[in-house]
Amino acid sequence: VVCAQMINTSATATEVVIKDGSTVMWRGYLSASMTQPLDIAFMTPLRGTAATAVNFACIATGANVYFNSQGYQAP
């Protein structure tokens, strides 16, 4: 993952995680009722394991989060 955008439109703040399969690679916090997305550029890209899904999860229940990520595949 090279960069990510996320926004929480609910009234519930939440911690969020980006995972390599089930292993947490990055952890952050999204405040409640955001009006602008949080844009993150990882200076060192998050590196996952080959043939393993990149997963995103909210820790708080009731949060409404939209998540988008971009990356690349190394040659």
Side-chain angles (χ1 to χ4, degrees), residues 1-64:
V1 175
V2 175
C3 59
Q5 302 81 38
M6 54 195 95
I7 188 169
N8 180 13
T9 60
S10 76
T12 303
T14 186
E15 186 178 1
V16 292
V17 291
I18 299 174
K19 302 187 237 178
D20 174 32
S22 61
T23 303
V24 175
M25 297 189 292
W26 180 86
R27 183 178 304 269
Y29 176 82
L30 296 178
S31 60
S33 304
M34 295 171 66
T35 58
Q36 296 292 319
L38 173 65
D39 295 315
I40 300 172
F42 297 103
M43 299 309 283
T44 302
L46 300 179
R47 188 173 186 177
T49 307
T52 302
V54 173
N55 294 309
F56 175 82
C58 296
I59 304 305
T61 58
N64 186 45

